Amino acid sequence: MLKTKTLAASILIASIGMSGSAMAAGPVFYTGLNAGWNATEFEESSAIDVGGTITESESTGSAAGPAFGGVAGIKFPISTGYFGLEAHVSDSGAEYEETQFVNDQQTIDKTISSNLSVGLSGILAFNVNAHSQVYGIAGYQMTSVEVESSTRDTGTGDVTNDEYDEDLGGFRVGVGLETAITRSLSARLEWTHTAFSSEEYQINTANGVVDSELEGAESRISIGIIGHF
């Protein structure tokens, strides 16, 4: 998490430092669409009090799935490339599912889904040739995470269903390659990593209320088309 924050701060400071000379060249606005793959690692620690006895547990899970999104931003050309500010929004089908069985009877069915994300980032790009740039990206992202739980009491057979929605926030860094296709269109290949801060929540189960803490880290690779105007 500390390395992610340091890298994000370094890119943003370098970008801001160049913005003065960049603005003289005149800004370029752009929008774009992208598609890719989201892989998110979740870590969860839980505690439950059953009859005065506190039971603690830890678990990890991987959620992966397709992701689609859009961006809008502004570029300030500089002699070595460009400096930019960019907002992004995306949705993902990444989902992790956990199931447990006792005597061939399912007792736990739990899913954690990574859904809508929004964020704001700074970009610092350097020319590779007359048509292409490599860039670093750093900023902050908020992602909506949904936890759904279904648990069964092995004695009575009663099922308890509950769900919890939370926005996880974290610093986002990445690298990419942008190549011009025409005067107004370019293509992008991009990889980003977001380290989310932990959030605490409670959820009802067949054995009682579970106190949990959830954190995660997202890695995403995408390709996209950018239109300049």
Side-chain angles (χ1 to χ4, degrees), residues 126-166:
F126 298 93
N127 295 327
V128 176
N129 53 46
H131 306 289
S132 302
Q133 298 88 29
V134 293
Y135 61 87
I137 186 168
Y140 196 81
Q141 176 175 306
M142 296 290 293
T143 296
S144 175
V145 174
E146 181 179 29
V147 179
E148 295 180 303
S149 172
S150 179
T151 55
R152 183 188 303 274
D153 188 310
T154 55
T156 65
D158 293 338
V159 175
T160 301
N161 297 313
D162 199 6
E163 63 180 43
Y164 179 80
D165 294 290
E166 182 59 73

Side-chain angles (χ1 to χ4, degrees), residues 35-204:
W37 190 257
N38 172 11
T40 301
E41 296 290 327
F42 291 109
E43 295 183 5
E44 186 178 38
S45 57
S46 302
I48 183 172
D49 186 342
V50 180
T53 301
I54 297 177
T55 302
E56 297 181 344
S57 63
E58 294 184 353
S59 62
T60 59
S62 299
F68 306 91
V71 298
I74 182 171
K75 296 178 179 178
F76 300 97
I78 56 178
S79 60
T80 56
Y82 68 82
F83 156 79
L85 291 174
E86 180 178 288
H88 73 273
V89 59
S90 63
D91 202 0
S92 169
E95 183 177 277
Y96 161 71
E97 183 173 10
E98 176 189 359
T99 58
Q100 293 184 16
F101 292 83
V102 175
N103 297 326
D104 295 327
Q105 184 181 47
Q106 184 170 319
T107 56
I108 296 177
D109 185 4
K110 182 178 183 179
T111 61
I112 304 177
S113 305
S114 174
N115 300 318
L116 184 69
S117 296
V118 295
L120 183 66
S121 300
I123 297 179
L124 184 60
F126 298 93
N127 295 327
V128 176
N129 53 46
H131 306 289
S132 302
Q133 298 88 29
V134 293
Y135 61 87
I137 186 168
Y140 196 81
Q141 176 175 306
M142 296 290 293
T143 296
S144 175
V145 174
E146 181 179 29
V147 179
E148 295 180 303
S149 172
S150 179
T151 55
R152 183 188 303 274
D153 188 310
T154 55
T156 65
D158 293 338
V159 175
T160 301
N161 297 313
D162 199 6
E163 63 180 43
Y164 179 80
D165 294 290
E166 182 59 73
D167 291 328
L168 298 184
F171 288 95
R172 175 177 179 258
V173 297
V175 293
L177 173 67
E178 184 170 346
T179 300
I181 301 174
T182 68
R183 289 177 61 89
S184 59
L185 290 177
S186 61
R188 272 188 182 181
L189 174 64
E190 183 178 284
W191 173 86
T192 59
H193 179 81
T194 305
F196 296 112
S197 300
S198 61
E199 292 289 342
E200 297 180 350
Y201 71 97
Q202 290 184 326
I203 201 160
N204 293 309

